[in-house]
Amino acid sequence: MLEKIQETATYLKSKMHTHPETAIILGTGLGNLADEITEKYEIKYEDIPNFPVSTVEGHSGKLIFGKLGNKDIMAMQGRFHYYEGYSMKEVTFPVRVMRELGIKTLFVSNASGGTNPTFEIGDLMIITDHINYFPEHPLRGKNIPYGPRFPDMSEAYDKELIRKADAIAAEKGIKVQHGVYLGTQGPTFETPAEYKLFHILGADAVGMSTVPEVIVANHCGIKVLGISIITDLGVEGKIVEVSHEEVQKAADAAQPHMTAIMRELINRA
């Protein structure tokens, strides 16, 4: 595994002419953030050695390098999911490559179903913690020497980045929520009973991604900020039939606020 990671990183370094220390994983409906990147150059996943290829509608499948504001950044437009049939090592492979490329800070975004009754569709939720509900752990197997065998997860989402994101949101008049994100394997949306269970367990929002990447980023010593867009509600009395298209539509509507927070946060980092 380590040899593949280093081979991929070597290939990317040969194509890069910038030196980003910040990376963004763009989730469902949030790929338009790429339009904010200037001086950009792109590398398709299919051209990158050892890289999986995204199969989900709405996920473009390329690495984008350039500037967001005045900072060099790297963005994944299209992530990989366990439900696509990938192993957790494949899902999180790009994060380990990021570590080899010198990434120090990772911003992750996703669309999720809200289980907190105070949430509304379109809310931004800054992730303060998560619950790993995946059947396979991304660190299972021989430990890659980027971090300890038993990494601490008491601050999986960096508190200083959360503080800065809150301050930016307040300055710009953007409403944000805080909450715990629960990651499931998918690809089905949750039943009403599952939503109820997850809320009892302590989750404020539920989705099918993010947790594996965050675990591996922490193992690699990369700081993380995560934001969810609440695209549907799993709250009793508010649950309606939901489709992937409706999730994308709700995410697209909230994207400008997400972009504003991330752009400013990166510039202040």
Side-chain angles (χ1 to χ4, degrees), residues 70-123:
N70 57 12
K71 292 290 181 70
D72 285 348
I73 64 110
M74 166 187 179
M76 284 184 65
Q77 192 169 34
R79 57 151 49 100
F80 310 113
H81 302 82
Y82 187 75
Y83 63 72
E84 293 177 81
Y86 296 119
S87 70
M88 280 300 186
K89 285 185 173 60
E90 291 172 314
V91 168
T92 57
F93 183 81
V95 178
R96 292 190 167 105
V97 172
M98 288 176 188
R99 190 261 189 193
E100 286 287 329
L101 297 178
I103 295 298
K104 303 289 193 295
T105 306
L106 176 63
F107 295 90
V108 293
S109 61
N110 61 57
S112 63
T115 61
N116 188 318
T118 68
F119 287 3
E120 299 293 340
I121 291 175
D123 280 354

Side-chain angles (χ1 to χ4, degrees), residues 162-176:
I162 292 172
R163 186 193 66 76
K164 289 179 178 179
D166 281 336
I168 291 165
E171 289 171 17
K172 295 183 177 295
I174 298 172
K175 174 189 174 185
V176 292

